[in-house]
Every structure is written in C-alpha cells, then in structure tokens.
Amino acid sequence: MRTILFTLILMLTLVGCGGKNDAPIDSNATDAAAESSKDATTAHDEEISSAAEVVALNDAVGIDLNTIIEPVGEVHLFDGTIIELTMFEKIGKYYIYISGKLNGRSSTVISLTRLDDLKRWAGIQFKDKNTFSILTKGEKELAFEDSRIYLGSASHTTFTFHTADPDTYELSKVEVKKEDVKIILIK
C-alpha cells in the first residue's frame, strides 16, 4: 500500500513539474514585463531623488526630520504649569516602573517595556508622590497606595522626560519633582 501511494505521489509531482515549461513564449508579454520593470525602476529612482531634495531642503533650513515628533502627552503641575511630553525617557528597558499596593490589596509591580502598552492609559493622577491613580482609555481606574513610581529615571524624587522646543524642534531633557506633578496625560 505504501509503495502504491509513494508511486502515485511521485507521478503527480513529475506531471506537475513537467508541464511548467510547455507554455509557448509570448514575445509581447516579455516586452510588456520588461517595460513594466523599467517603469518601476524609474519611479523608484524619482522617489529617491525627491527624498534627497527634501533632506537637502531641510538641511538648508536647519530642521532635522528625526527630531520632529508628535507629543505623546502633557505633564500638569500643581502650580498650573503644563509641560508638553514629547518623548519618554527609558529606564533601562522600561518606560515606566510601578511598585506598590494596587486597589489597597497586595503588592503589585507594573513594568512596561512597550510604548503601545503605556499609550493604553489615559493618564496618571497624583494625590501625593506615593498615592496615585491610573485611568485607562477603557475607563478603568487602578488606584495605588504606598507605591513607588519611576518614569524616566530611577530617582525617588524626580520624573525625567523629553520635550521639544516649538521654535527649533530640538528635544531637551526635563526633570520635574514628583511632588510637583498633578497629572500626566497620555495621548
């Protein structure tokens, strides 16, 4: 039985492969394929040329495209100051690290390594530097008490992040005291 099955599979394979080159060559189809390939190459060369012109223009104006970044949030301080949060500073491999009592229960650790996970949060609201609530975009609240939160640095007293100067688009590192932060909104 195995021999018959093997023979049938071998015959089907040979028949399938044997007909591959039996189709007549159409010179019009070959010319069309070559012309299509030339059009694609020309279009690709034009894209590279236009990209080089944009980079050259930006160099002349003094703008680096790599530093133009959309803001990811805002930091609101108790004194009414609002600082644009352009980029998170990583702590090793983490964007944020939280350790403390979640909803008054046992100790919990949250350490996010992906920015997409952090962007699922709407914001972090602080009552003091060890008591805060996280509101998710799904409108769930995570209340932390007796907690430590680290954002941008391993410091017990400050948060570190980047903000962009609206005139020059240059990023600068900003440190704020944890006790001064009222809310961090995340877009």
Side-chain angles (χ1 to χ4, degrees), residues 94-144:
Y94 303 113
Y95 280 102
I96 192 166
Y97 187 89
I98 299 170
S99 172
K101 292 183 180 178
L102 174 61
N103 296 329
R105 292 188 228 147
S106 63
S107 294
T108 303
V109 172
I110 296 177
S111 53
L112 301 180
T113 58
R114 297 183 313 180
L115 189 57
D116 289 341
D117 292 335
L118 188 60
K119 286 187 174 184
R120 290 182 183 168
W121 295 352
I124 306 168
Q125 184 172 8
F126 297 88
K127 293 181 180 135
D128 61 47
K129 68 177 187 174
N130 294 323
T131 306
F132 55 90
S133 296
I134 297 171
L135 184 64
T136 66
K137 291 191 176 159
E139 297 184 9
K140 292 182 182 180
E141 184 178 0
L142 308 171
F144 283 89

Side-chain angles (χ1 to χ4, degrees), residues 34-50:
E35 190 173 314
S36 149
S37 173
K38 285 180 187 177
D39 291 342
T41 303
T42 304
H44 183 269
D45 291 343
E46 287 175 3
E47 286 177 19
I48 291 173
S49 173
S50 66

Side-chain angles (χ1 to χ4, degrees), residues 148-160:
R148 291 180 306 278
I149 180 169
Y150 302 96
L151 180 68
S153 72
S155 170
H156 295 290
T157 59
T158 62
F159 293 127
T160 305

Side-chain angles (χ1 to χ4, degrees), residues 161-172:
F161 54 91
H162 294 275
T163 188
D165 183 335
D167 297 327
T168 63
Y169 298 107
E170 290 190 25
L171 290 177
S172 61

Side-chain angles (χ1 to χ4, degrees), residues 3-52:
T3 308
I4 294 173
L5 184 60
F6 179 73
T7 306
L8 287 173
I9 291 173
L10 182 62
M11 289 176 56
L12 286 173
T13 305
L14 290 174
V15 170
C17 292
K20 181 178 174 184
N21 293 327
D22 289 347
I25 297 176
D26 183 10
S27 63
N28 292 336
T30 305
D31 292 342
E35 190 173 314
S36 149
S37 173
K38 285 180 187 177
D39 291 342
T41 303
T42 304
H44 183 269
D45 291 343
E46 287 175 3
E47 286 177 19
I48 291 173
S49 173
S50 66

